[in-house]
Amino acid sequence: MRELCLRCLRPQSSCYCRYIRRVDSGMKFVFLMHPKEAKRQRTGTGRLAHLCLPESEILVGIDFSHNERLLSLLEDPQYYPVLMYPDPGAKTARSPELKDALSGRTLLVIIIDSTWFCSKKIIKSSVSLSGLPRISFYGEYKSIFTFKREPDEHCVSTIESCYYLIKEMRSSGVTRGDDSPEPLMDVFKRMIQFQLQKENDRVEGRIPSSHATDWKYSRTRDIPEFEFSL
């Protein structure tokens, strides 16, 4: 058994905690994590986002209709809850009614951390989410998640969703925060570089294959030289 980091739940040899810096986002994030996502630490970004965002929470499940913690947050008058999910009628940081609706309250952003297929199942199962206003981006973004295939080019990872939402909310004057959101992307870039290096090491026989899907990778890949905020 490999010794795990009790903070990020990754093996000590591949712990990302030394790259994590906290970000005061001016919002509260709650990640509804599908059980399958909770078990996958190889490429999951929801937990990394959680570690960067103070006061954020992870709730694991499929049907959140009777989840006591989620219901208490949704009913708390200090918050204005929204569900981050693409929808033709979704509000954005540029929607005038959003700032008016906040009325001094903290924006409570519910993000489903799962595959798109499982996300739809969570929404369908969870009555508590059905009446929430939906929020999305006004900008168009392309994920840098180079070693994971998304269903569409515009789909971004959980940690990227947090990053772009914080930037848009601040630039539109909807929320405030004392810290730059760049640490979210910094740790995400470190994860990408690490995973690609390990993939190349397996292809070249420097380390043994350890995952059932490793057979799919037969060629080494270029590791991007990202820029980092620090």
Side-chain angles (χ1 to χ4, degrees):
M1 292 291 290
R2 294 179 294 178
E3 186 176 356
L4 295 181
C5 169
L6 298 181
R7 188 182 181 205
C8 68
L9 303 183
R10 291 189 56 81
Q12 290 284 2
S13 59
S14 59
C15 170
Y16 299 131
C17 290
R18 62 187 179 279
Y19 302 122
I20 290 173
R21 287 178 288 133
R22 292 162 71 84
V23 175
D24 174 15
S25 67
M27 299 178 272
K28 180 176 177 64
F29 287 88
V30 175
F31 303 99
L32 304 185
M33 187 178 290
H34 193 280
K36 290 183 179 179
E37 192 70 26
K39 294 178 181 178
R40 293 172 58 242
Q41 296 306 318
R42 187 182 184 190
T43 58
T45 67
R47 194 173 300 279
L48 285 182
H50 165 61
L51 293 175
C52 291
L53 296 166
E55 308 303 324
S56 66
E57 299 182 37
I58 293 177
L59 304 177
V60 179
I62 297 176
D63 183 357
F64 292 90
S65 300
H66 305 289
N67 185 284
E68 292 184 4
R69 179 54 182 162
L70 179 61
L71 293 176
S72 68
L73 288 169
L74 296 179
E75 295 169 1
D76 193 326
Q78 70 175 306
Y79 296 122
Y80 178 70
V82 294
L83 174 65
M84 190 169 188
Y85 204 80
D87 185 272
K91 294 180 173 64
T92 73
R94 289 179 175 172
S95 301
E97 64 271 23
L98 178 60
K99 198 169 185 179
D100 293 338
L102 280 175
S103 187
R105 290 179 289 176
T106 299
L107 191 64
L108 173 65
V109 183
I110 311 297
I111 296 183
I112 299 177
D113 186 36
S114 178
T115 63
W116 285 99
F117 175 81
C118 292
S119 293
K120 292 177 182 178
K121 186 174 182 179
I122 289 175
I123 289 178
K124 185 176 180 180
S125 302
S126 304
V127 178
S128 53
L129 302 178
S130 60
L132 294 180
R134 295 194 178 187
I135 196 165
S136 189
F137 308 122
Y138 58 73
E140 294 184 3
Y141 305 104
K142 184 176 180 180
S143 179
I144 63 169
F145 213 164
T146 54
F147 64 93
K148 182 179 178 182
R149 180 176 297 177
E150 297 289 0
D152 206 322
E153 190 176 74
H154 71 273
C155 298
V156 296
S157 66
T158 298
I159 199 166
E160 288 171 302
S161 296
C162 297
Y163 171 78
Y164 290 122
L165 185 66
I166 293 169
K167 291 195 72 172
E168 289 193 353
M169 288 295 171
R170 287 190 183 174
S171 65
S172 300
V174 178
T175 61
R176 296 180 179 180
D178 296 329
D179 303 325
S180 165
E182 294 303 325
L184 287 161
M185 291 299 285
D186 283 349
V187 69
F188 183 45
K189 292 171 182 176
R190 297 286 187 186
M191 187 192 79
I192 290 172
Q193 289 180 329
F194 175 84
Q195 295 294 350
L196 287 175
Q197 183 60 61
K198 288 298 182 182
E199 182 181 308
N200 288 347
D201 288 345
R202 281 188 287 271
V203 169
E204 295 179 343
R206 288 192 291 270
I207 60 175
S209 296
S210 56
H211 300 87
T213 57
D214 284 343
W215 63 270
K216 295 180 180 180
Y217 308 105
S218 58
R219 293 183 297 177
T220 59
R221 301 171 63 181
D222 293 335
I223 299 175
E225 296 183 2
F226 294 118
E227 293 185 2
F228 297 91
S229 61
L230 284 180

